[in-house]
Amino acid sequence: MRDWWPLYRTSVELGARYLLNHGYLREAVIRIVVPLDPSRYLELPETRRELELRPGERVLDLASPKLLAVVLARAGAEVVSVDQLESEIDAWRKLTSGEPRLALEVGDGRALRFEDASFDAAYSVSVLEHIPEPGDEEALRELARVTRPGGRVVVTLPYARTYREDWRDAPVYADQGGQADKHFFQRWYDDARVERLVAAAPGLELGSSQVSRLEPNLNDLYTRTFPWLVPLGPLFGLLARRVDGPDGDVIRLTFRRT
Protein backbone atom coordinates (compact mmCIF):
# COMPACT_ATOMS: atom_id res chain seq x y z
CA MET A 1 0.00 0.00 0.00
CA ARG A 2 1.10 3.55 -0.61
CA ASP A 3 0.20 7.18 -0.01
CA TRP A 4 -1.39 6.65 3.41
CA TRP A 5 1.30 8.43 5.40
CA PRO A 6 0.08 12.05 4.75
CA LEU A 7 -3.37 11.03 5.99
CA TYR A 8 -1.97 9.26 9.03
CA ARG A 9 0.30 12.18 9.91
CA THR A 10 -2.51 14.71 9.50
CA SER A 11 -4.78 12.68 11.79
CA VAL A 12 -2.24 12.57 14.60
CA GLU A 13 -1.39 16.26 14.17
CA LEU A 14 -5.05 17.32 14.36
CA GLY A 15 -5.66 15.28 17.49
CA ALA A 16 -2.50 16.36 19.27
CA ARG A 17 -2.99 20.04 18.41
CA TYR A 18 -6.51 20.08 19.79
CA LEU A 19 -5.63 18.25 23.01
CA LEU A 20 -2.67 20.52 23.69
CA ASN A 21 -4.58 23.73 23.02
CA HIS A 22 -8.10 22.96 24.21
CA GLY A 23 -8.15 19.83 26.36
CA TYR A 24 -10.18 16.67 25.99
CA LEU A 25 -12.28 15.89 22.92
CA ARG A 26 -13.22 12.31 22.11
CA GLU A 27 -12.60 12.73 18.37
CA ALA A 28 -9.17 14.23 19.09
CA VAL A 29 -8.20 11.14 21.06
CA ILE A 30 -9.45 8.89 18.25
CA ARG A 31 -7.29 10.82 15.76
CA ILE A 32 -4.21 9.72 17.72
CA VAL A 33 -5.16 6.22 18.88
CA VAL A 34 -6.65 5.03 15.56
CA PRO A 35 -5.55 7.50 12.85
CA LEU A 36 -6.99 5.24 10.12
CA ASP A 37 -9.36 2.30 10.34
CA PRO A 38 -8.00 -0.67 8.37
CA SER A 39 -10.08 -0.22 5.21
CA ARG A 40 -9.22 3.48 5.09
CA TYR A 41 -5.64 2.58 4.18
CA LEU A 42 -7.16 1.40 0.89
CA GLU A 43 -10.04 3.80 0.35
CA LEU A 44 -8.72 7.23 1.25
CA PRO A 45 -5.43 7.26 -0.72
CA GLU A 46 -7.09 5.67 -3.75
CA THR A 47 -9.95 8.17 -3.71
CA ARG A 48 -7.46 11.02 -3.55
CA ARG A 49 -5.55 9.65 -6.55
CA GLU A 50 -8.69 9.05 -8.58
CA LEU A 51 -10.02 12.57 -8.03
CA GLU A 52 -6.91 14.07 -9.68
CA LEU A 53 -7.69 17.49 -8.18
CA ARG A 54 -5.77 20.61 -9.08
CA PRO A 55 -5.26 23.54 -6.68
CA GLY A 56 -8.28 25.82 -6.70
CA GLU A 57 -10.76 23.20 -7.84
CA ARG A 58 -13.97 22.86 -5.83
CA VAL A 59 -14.85 19.39 -4.51
CA LEU A 60 -17.80 18.04 -2.55
CA ASP A 61 -17.37 15.38 0.11
CA LEU A 62 -20.52 13.48 1.03
CA ALA A 63 -20.15 12.23 4.60
CA SER A 64 -16.78 10.52 4.09
CA PRO A 65 -14.17 10.27 6.85
CA LYS A 66 -13.30 13.96 7.26
CA LEU A 67 -9.56 13.35 7.29
CA LEU A 68 -9.45 13.21 3.50
CA ALA A 69 -11.25 16.56 3.23
CA VAL A 70 -8.56 18.15 5.42
CA VAL A 71 -5.72 16.70 3.33
CA LEU A 72 -7.36 17.83 0.07
CA ALA A 73 -7.91 21.35 1.41
CA ARG A 74 -4.32 21.60 2.57
CA ALA A 75 -3.24 20.57 -0.93
CA GLY A 76 -5.10 23.54 -2.40
CA ALA A 77 -8.61 22.30 -3.21
CA GLU A 78 -11.73 24.13 -2.06
CA VAL A 79 -13.58 21.45 -0.08
CA VAL A 80 -17.17 21.39 1.14
CA SER A 81 -17.89 18.42 3.41
CA VAL A 82 -21.55 17.57 4.07
CA ASP A 83 -22.74 15.15 6.74
CA GLN A 84 -26.16 14.33 8.16
CA LEU A 85 -24.75 13.90 11.67
CA GLU A 86 -24.58 17.21 13.53
CA SER A 87 -22.29 15.69 16.17
CA GLU A 88 -19.77 14.71 13.48
CA ILE A 89 -19.77 18.18 11.96
CA ASP A 90 -19.46 19.82 15.40
CA ALA A 91 -16.47 17.66 16.37
CA TRP A 92 -14.63 18.26 13.10
CA ARG A 93 -15.31 21.98 13.17
CA LYS A 94 -13.48 22.03 16.49
CA LEU A 95 -10.63 19.88 15.19
CA THR A 96 -10.17 21.92 12.01
CA SER A 97 -10.82 25.43 13.29
CA GLY A 98 -8.80 27.87 11.21
CA GLU A 99 -8.16 25.46 8.34
CA PRO A 100 -8.41 27.39 5.05
CA ARG A 101 -10.46 26.16 2.08
CA LEU A 102 -12.53 23.75 4.20
CA ALA A 103 -16.25 24.15 4.93
CA LEU A 104 -18.22 21.65 7.01
CA GLU A 105 -22.01 21.58 6.75
CA VAL A 106 -24.94 19.55 8.03
CA GLY A 107 -27.01 18.22 5.15
CA ASP A 108 -28.76 15.23 3.61
CA GLY A 109 -26.96 13.66 0.64
CA ARG A 110 -30.30 12.71 -0.91
CA ALA A 111 -31.28 16.39 -1.27
CA LEU A 112 -28.20 18.60 -1.49
CA ARG A 113 -28.71 22.37 -1.32
CA PHE A 114 -26.14 23.15 -4.03
CA GLU A 115 -26.85 24.30 -7.57
CA ASP A 116 -26.33 22.08 -10.60
CA ALA A 117 -22.72 21.72 -11.81
CA SER A 118 -21.37 23.76 -8.89
CA PHE A 119 -18.40 21.45 -8.13
CA ASP A 120 -15.45 20.25 -10.18
CA ALA A 121 -15.57 16.84 -8.50
CA ALA A 122 -17.31 14.90 -5.74
CA TYR A 123 -16.64 11.83 -3.64
CA SER A 124 -18.22 9.63 -1.00
CA VAL A 125 -16.15 7.05 0.89
CA SER A 126 -18.03 4.20 2.56
CA VAL A 127 -21.31 6.10 2.91
CA LEU A 128 -23.94 5.07 0.36
CA GLU A 129 -24.19 1.58 1.84
CA HIS A 130 -25.59 3.03 5.06
CA ILE A 131 -28.53 4.81 3.39
CA PRO A 132 -31.74 2.74 3.27
CA GLU A 133 -32.90 2.07 -0.28
CA PRO A 134 -33.46 3.80 -2.56
CA GLY A 135 -31.37 6.42 -0.77
CA ASP A 136 -28.05 5.17 -2.13
CA GLU A 137 -29.29 5.71 -5.68
CA GLU A 138 -30.75 9.12 -4.80
CA ALA A 139 -27.47 10.23 -3.24
CA LEU A 140 -25.44 9.13 -6.28
CA ARG A 141 -27.78 11.07 -8.55
CA GLU A 142 -27.28 14.14 -6.36
CA LEU A 143 -23.49 13.79 -6.61
CA ALA A 144 -23.91 13.68 -10.38
CA ARG A 145 -26.21 16.71 -10.41
CA VAL A 146 -23.86 19.02 -8.51
CA THR A 147 -20.73 17.99 -10.47
CA ARG A 148 -19.87 19.86 -13.67
CA PRO A 149 -19.74 18.01 -17.01
CA GLY A 150 -16.37 16.31 -17.34
CA GLY A 151 -15.84 16.26 -13.57
CA ARG A 152 -15.07 13.13 -11.59
CA VAL A 153 -17.20 11.38 -8.98
CA VAL A 154 -15.50 8.71 -6.84
CA VAL A 155 -17.40 6.32 -4.57
CA THR A 156 -16.26 3.39 -2.41
CA LEU A 157 -18.54 0.65 -1.09
CA PRO A 158 -18.27 -2.66 0.78
CA TYR A 159 -18.21 -5.55 -1.68
CA ALA A 160 -19.12 -9.25 -1.45
CA ARG A 161 -19.66 -12.09 -3.92
CA THR A 162 -23.29 -12.29 -2.74
CA TYR A 163 -25.45 -9.32 -1.77
CA ARG A 164 -26.37 -9.05 1.89
CA GLU A 165 -27.53 -6.53 4.47
CA ASP A 166 -26.38 -5.91 8.04
CA TRP A 167 -28.96 -4.98 10.66
CA ARG A 168 -28.36 -3.88 14.25
CA ASP A 169 -30.34 -3.91 17.50
CA ALA A 170 -29.93 -0.13 17.78
CA PRO A 171 -29.08 2.69 15.36
CA VAL A 172 -25.32 3.05 14.79
CA TYR A 173 -25.27 6.49 13.18
CA ALA A 174 -28.72 8.01 12.64
CA ASP A 175 -32.06 6.29 13.10
CA GLN A 176 -32.93 5.31 9.53
CA GLY A 177 -35.93 3.22 10.51
CA GLY A 178 -36.10 -0.54 10.46
CA GLN A 179 -38.16 -3.65 10.91
CA ALA A 180 -39.61 -4.37 14.34
CA ASP A 181 -36.64 -4.20 16.73
CA LYS A 182 -33.93 -4.18 14.02
CA HIS A 183 -32.25 -1.17 12.44
CA PHE A 184 -30.63 -1.04 9.02
CA PHE A 185 -26.85 -0.57 9.19
CA GLN A 186 -25.37 -1.27 5.75
CA ARG A 187 -25.53 -3.31 2.58
CA TRP A 188 -22.74 -5.29 0.89
CA TYR A 189 -22.82 -4.81 -2.87
CA ASP A 190 -22.38 -7.69 -5.26
CA ASP A 191 -21.89 -7.25 -9.01
CA ALA A 192 -25.61 -7.09 -9.73
CA ARG A 193 -26.22 -4.49 -7.05
CA VAL A 194 -23.29 -2.39 -8.28
CA GLU A 195 -24.75 -2.49 -11.79
CA ARG A 196 -28.11 -1.38 -10.42
CA LEU A 197 -26.51 1.54 -8.58
CA VAL A 198 -24.55 2.64 -11.65
CA ALA A 199 -27.66 2.46 -13.82
CA ALA A 200 -29.56 4.68 -11.37
CA ALA A 201 -27.35 7.68 -12.23
CA PRO A 202 -27.53 8.10 -16.04
CA GLY A 203 -25.64 11.40 -15.77
CA LEU A 204 -22.51 9.48 -14.81
CA GLU A 205 -20.30 7.33 -17.02
CA LEU A 206 -18.38 4.62 -15.19
CA GLY A 207 -14.73 4.99 -16.16
CA SER A 208 -13.14 2.38 -13.92
CA SER A 209 -13.76 0.15 -10.92
CA GLN A 210 -11.50 -1.86 -8.64
CA VAL A 211 -12.17 -4.49 -5.98
CA SER A 212 -9.49 -4.77 -3.28
CA ARG A 213 -8.78 -6.11 0.17
CA LEU A 214 -6.10 -6.03 2.81
CA GLU A 215 -3.86 -9.08 3.15
CA PRO A 216 -3.96 -10.23 5.89
CA ASN A 217 -7.57 -9.06 6.09
CA LEU A 218 -7.14 -6.76 9.05
CA ASN A 219 -10.42 -5.02 8.30
CA ASP A 220 -12.42 -8.19 8.94
CA LEU A 221 -10.32 -9.13 11.96
CA TYR A 222 -10.53 -5.59 13.36
CA THR A 223 -14.33 -5.60 13.09
CA ARG A 224 -14.76 -9.05 14.65
CA THR A 225 -12.41 -8.44 17.59
CA PHE A 226 -13.04 -4.74 18.28
CA PRO A 227 -11.66 -3.12 20.44
CA TRP A 228 -8.78 -5.55 21.07
CA LEU A 229 -6.83 -4.60 17.95
CA VAL A 230 -7.07 -0.84 18.52
CA PRO A 231 -3.50 -0.69 19.91
CA LEU A 232 -2.25 -2.05 16.57
CA GLY A 233 -3.84 0.85 14.69
CA PRO A 234 -0.52 2.61 14.02
CA LEU A 235 0.83 -0.59 12.42
CA PHE A 236 -2.00 -1.46 10.01
CA GLY A 237 -0.36 0.30 7.10
CA LEU A 238 2.89 -1.58 7.70
CA LEU A 239 1.46 -5.02 8.50
CA ALA A 240 -0.87 -5.38 5.52
CA ARG A 241 -0.57 -5.22 1.75
CA ARG A 242 -3.19 -4.46 -0.84
CA VAL A 243 -4.54 -7.27 -3.01
CA ASP A 244 -6.76 -6.54 -6.02
CA GLY A 245 -9.24 -9.10 -7.32
CA PRO A 246 -12.78 -10.47 -6.99
CA ASP A 247 -12.18 -11.76 -3.46
CA GLY A 248 -11.83 -8.21 -2.15
CA ASP A 249 -14.21 -6.53 0.28
CA VAL A 250 -14.04 -2.91 -0.96
CA ILE A 251 -15.01 -1.64 -4.40
CA ARG A 252 -14.03 1.74 -5.80
CA LEU A 253 -16.07 3.30 -8.61
CA THR A 254 -14.77 6.26 -10.61
CA PHE A 255 -17.26 8.12 -12.80
CA ARG A 256 -17.10 10.97 -15.28
CA ARG A 257 -19.96 13.45 -15.36
CA THR A 258 -21.47 13.47 -18.84
Side-chain angles (χ1 to χ4, degrees):
M1 293 187 295
R2 55 195 176 100
D3 299 338
W4 55 266
W5 174 245
L7 292 150
Y8 186 102
R9 181 184 60 213
T10 299
S11 178
V12 174
E13 181 259 310
L14 287 172
R17 183 181 66 182
Y18 188 91
L19 293 173
L20 288 172
N21 293 331
H22 305 286
Y24 177 78
L25 180 70
R26 181 176 181 271
E27 186 61 41
V29 174
I30 292 173
R31 291 299 97 227
I32 296 172
V33 176
V34 189
L36 296 171
D37 286 335
S39 65
R40 306 303 184 235
Y41 285 92
L42 293 174
E43 295 172 291
L44 299 187
E46 185 167 9
T47 298
R48 184 184 183 186
R49 289 193 299 272
E50 289 293 309
L51 286 169
E52 296 183 344
L53 292 173
R54 295 188 296 269
E57 288 191 317
R58 192 168 188 240
V59 60
L60 174 68
D61 159 39
L62 177 56
S64 309
K66 306 297 177 287
L67 189 59
L68 180 55
V70 177
V71 169
L72 293 174
R74 289 184 176 184
E78 300 287 338
V79 185
V80 179
S81 182
V82 174
D83 201 300
Q84 189 176 5
L85 299 179
E86 292 187 26
S87 59
E88 183 81 355
I89 293 297
D90 288 343
W92 277 90
R93 281 176 175 165
K94 292 175 182 177
L95 281 175
T96 61
S97 178
E99 292 281 346
R101 298 180 297 277
L102 175 63
L104 296 143
E105 300 185 6
V106 176
D108 189 334
R110 295 165 291 190
L112 295 169
R113 69 169 184 83
F114 308 106
E115 296 181 359
D116 295 359
S118 53
F119 291 89
D120 296 296
Y123 68 94
S124 189
V125 174
S126 190
V127 175
L128 301 188
E129 68 269 20
H130 296 296
I131 309 176
E133 63 180 19
D136 56 341
E137 298 173 0
E138 295 169 346
L140 185 60
R141 284 194 292 269
E142 279 292 271
L143 292 177
R145 180 184 66 79
V146 302
T147 301
R148 64 167 175 80
R152 288 194 168 200
V153 175
V154 181
V155 172
T156 71
L157 306 161
Y159 177 84
R161 290 291 189 111
T162 303
Y163 176 82
R164 70 178 190 270
E165 295 179 353
D166 292 341
W167 295 72
R168 297 288 188 266
D169 293 332
V172 176
Y173 299 119
D175 190 350
Q176 307 278 15
Q179 302 172 355
D181 58 346
K182 295 295 183 181
H183 296 263
F184 178 75
F185 175 58
Q186 69 175 357
R187 64 182 65 81
W188 291 75
Y189 292 77
D190 62 2
D191 290 336
R193 192 67 183 227
V194 169
E195 291 178 5
R196 170 177 158 176
L197 179 66
V198 171
L204 295 176
E205 178 183 7
L206 183 62
S208 67
S209 64
Q210 183 64 63
V211 176
S212 307
R213 74 177 192 276
L214 295 175
E215 183 62 42
N217 195 332
L218 296 173
N219 189 43
D220 180 62
L221 187 62
Y222 179 85
T223 301
R224 288 190 288 107
T225 63
F226 185 85
W228 301 111
L229 290 186
V230 166
L232 294 180
L235 300 177
F236 288 147
L238 300 175
L239 293 174
R241 63 186 179 91
R242 169 180 169 153
V243 177
D244 297 332
D247 292 326
D249 55 13
V250 173
I251 186 169
R252 183 266 307 157
L253 307 173
T254 300
F255 301 92
R256 185 183 67 86
R257 179 69 167 95
T258 57

